[in-house]
Amino acid sequence: MHCSGPLAGLTALLTLVAFPVQIKTDSTVSTELYGDIENTEYGDFESLSQTRERQQHLCHREVPSVFFQTERDSPVRGNGSTIYFHRIEVCCAGYRRDPYANECVPDCSASSPDNCRNGFCRSPGVCECFAEFVRNEHGACIHTCPIACQHGRCYLNGTCVCHQNFVLDQETRQFCRPKCSQSCGTHEECVAPGQCDCSPGYRRTPDLGCQPVCAPDCGFGKCVAPNQCECFAGFIKRPNWNVCEAECYLNCENGLCESRYKCHCREGYRYDVNTTSCLPECSDNCGQGNGVCIAPGVCRCFRGYEVHGAECRPKCESRFCGKYGRCVAPEICGCGEGQQHCRNGSCDDIEHCSCPSGETHFIDRCLKADRLSQHLNTSEKRKHFNRQLAYEFNALIGRLFNF
Ligand SMILES: *[C@@H]1O[C@H](CO)[C@@H](O)[C@H](O)[C@H]1NC(C)=O
Ligand SMILES: *[C@@H]1O[C@H](CO)[C@@H](O)[C@H](O)[C@H]1NC(C)=O
Ligand SMILES: *[C@@H]1O[C@H](CO)[C@@H](O)[C@H](O)[C@H]1NC(C)=O
Ligand SMILES: *[C@@H]1O[C@H](CO)[C@@H](O)[C@H](O)[C@H]1NC(C)=O
Ligand SMILES: *[C@@H]1O[C@H](CO)[C@@H](O)[C@H](O)[C@H]1NC(C)=O
């Protein structure tokens, strides 16, 4: 075991101290803010790229740039309306990205349970069944006779005869629906023989029978039909957003504008002044900022960190830190009380950095002695060791003096 103390390198380093440091300051912080989700709008004079976007059903969306951060100490400067937003291209509402063709195609998933399988989704929510298929009461394209008939059987002449307690769909005469002896209530339909339940988009309430569902909640308004809100006096809906709010200048994404200046965040979100929006909240800020909170309670860790429950902790993969060490930063074990850094080594039972055979401990790491010059061949590296030397001094000795 070779364990040279950190002070061994001190004389070699004294000549390296003091290099000019350039600090770049960011003086161009924009304060302009626009709406949170912007759909591209087309005037009379559209540019070529706008035409392309419209033909391809591409819209723009502003996403908090913090969601794009992958390195702990390099925040992302957004290219959106402010530096706190990235402006990205997404498929417009009603379209989805086809992963095979990588283009935006109409989406029928809201009106067809299996997204228009056995049919052609012509435009958002409009599913046209292929020949020999018919739309059933749930919007799915199902086989017709002579192949099959839902809740019935096919005769050779092509007609569908329903099983007991089912009746032929009056409009298509191609499939059978369950039969209810008494007629079902308001916003109800016959879902199985003799059984009524709420129609799609409605939910049973204890007092008022089946009531329409609006998701998200209407806010300052009333849900009058599935996903249709009627605002209370003085409240408005923003473009492409079916929620009633006060008129306000804040983005207030994941929240509700209560007044001109107040954004009330949904549960699991907290207000962020930079984006004037609500960002998801994670306990302990994902481990003192070692990751970014991408959904309530869900951290995505920065490079070099891994998720432990609800926080991100540094990862020390190259070597196990040992019984007496603790991973203090990515690939850096900390030994003993002062957590003396031990990169590429592990901590032994006398709280020293123990290096693999053939390597020696130099300030904060283990290295092969003949490689030392390579570790000092740029001013950046020398600066690192100068900073690190101060840290190690404090970790080992400084704390004894109670600075
Ligand atoms: C902004 O940055 C995002 C993320 O890197 C990128 O996908 C997008 O194309 C950029 N937008 C513009 C308008 O440059
Ligand atoms: C088809 O055949 C069934 C059973 O033989 C018969 O009841 C029905 O009337 C026939 N329909 C037509 C359109 O010929
Ligand atoms: C707002 O952004 C600045 C950097 O532009 C950052 O220092 C600050 O921590 C951010 N504030 C919050 C609440 O995230
Ligand atoms: C030493 O650690 C660094 C990361 O700090 C790693 O990239 C490198 O591969 C390690 N070297 C050895 C010899 O384990
Ligand atoms: C410094 O040493 C590294 C090997 O550790 C080598 O890759 C690099 O080219 C050297 N840089 C200079 C400026 O000599």
Side-chain angles (χ1 to χ4, degrees), residues 371 373-375 377-378 381:
R371 295 281 160 81
S373 59
Q374 283 175 12
H375 284 268
N377 68 358
T378 65
K381 290 179 187 172

Side-chain angles (χ1 to χ4, degrees), residues 155 157-159 161:
Y155 280 82
N157 62 12
T159 56
V161 175

Side-chain angles (χ1 to χ4, degrees), residues 27 39 177 187 223 304 335 380 387:
S27 55
N39 279 299
R177 295 164 169 269
H187 306 314
C223 186
C335 300
E380 220 18 80
R387 278 194 305 269

Side-chain angles (χ1 to χ4, degrees), residues 318-319 330-332 343-345 356 359 365-368 375:
S318 58
R319 206 170 308 278
E331 303 302 346
I332 300 177
R343 200 184 280 245
N344 297 83
E359 296 190 11
R365 65 190 59 200
C366 294
L367 46 75
K368 290 202 167 67
H375 284 268

Side-chain angles (χ1 to χ4, degrees), residues 159-337:
T159 56
C160 167
V161 175
C162 295
H163 296 153
Q164 213 183 349
N165 296 323
F166 288 87
V167 290
L168 205 56
D169 176 65
Q170 285 309 298
E171 198 188 316
T172 65
R173 305 189 70 80
Q174 309 254 41
F175 66 94
C176 305
R177 295 164 169 269
K179 190 161 79 179
C180 288
S181 48
Q182 80 285 32
S183 65
C184 294
T186 318
H187 306 314
E188 286 188 351
E189 62 181 37
C190 188
V191 293
Q195 196 190 326
C196 295
D197 204 353
C198 294
S199 303
Y202 292 83
R203 188 169 43 206
R204 191 167 297 284
T205 60
D207 309 323
L208 298 165
C210 295
Q211 291 294 311
V213 177
C214 291
D217 180 79
C218 286
F220 298 98
K222 184 175 185 301
C223 186
V224 291
N227 289 329
Q228 250 189 58
C229 296
E230 217 174 76
C231 295
F232 301 145
F235 294 93
I236 53 141
K237 290 184 202 171
R238 306 191 196 204
N240 303 304
W241 190 229
N242 183 41
V243 169
C244 301
E245 300 177 74
E247 213 170 326
C248 78
Y249 72 96
L250 306 164
N251 286 310
C252 199
E253 217 174 323
N254 302 312
L256 196 65
C257 263
E258 276 186 345
S259 70
R260 210 161 171 73
Y261 311 103
K262 181 146 193 261
C263 173
H264 179 81
C265 292
R266 263 169 41 202
E267 202 179 316
Y269 292 81
R270 61 168 174 75
Y271 188 71
D272 169 64
V273 284
N274 287 343
T275 56
T276 74
S277 271
C278 302
L279 297 184
E281 199 170 24
C282 292
S283 60
D284 193 29
N285 187 24
C286 292
Q288 279 97 52
N290 293 336
V292 51
C293 187
I294 53 167
V298 182
C299 294
R300 198 186 58 222
C301 300
F302 294 139
R303 205 188 307 281
Y305 296 82
E306 63 191 352
V307 76
H308 271 265
E311 64 174 58
C312 296
R313 294 191 193 153
K315 217 165 35 171
C316 289
E317 228 157 47
S318 58
R319 206 170 308 278
F320 182 56
C321 285
K323 192 172 165 192
Y324 303 92
R326 194 163 81 80
C327 188
V328 293
E331 303 302 346
I332 300 177
C333 296
C335 300
E337 204 183 324

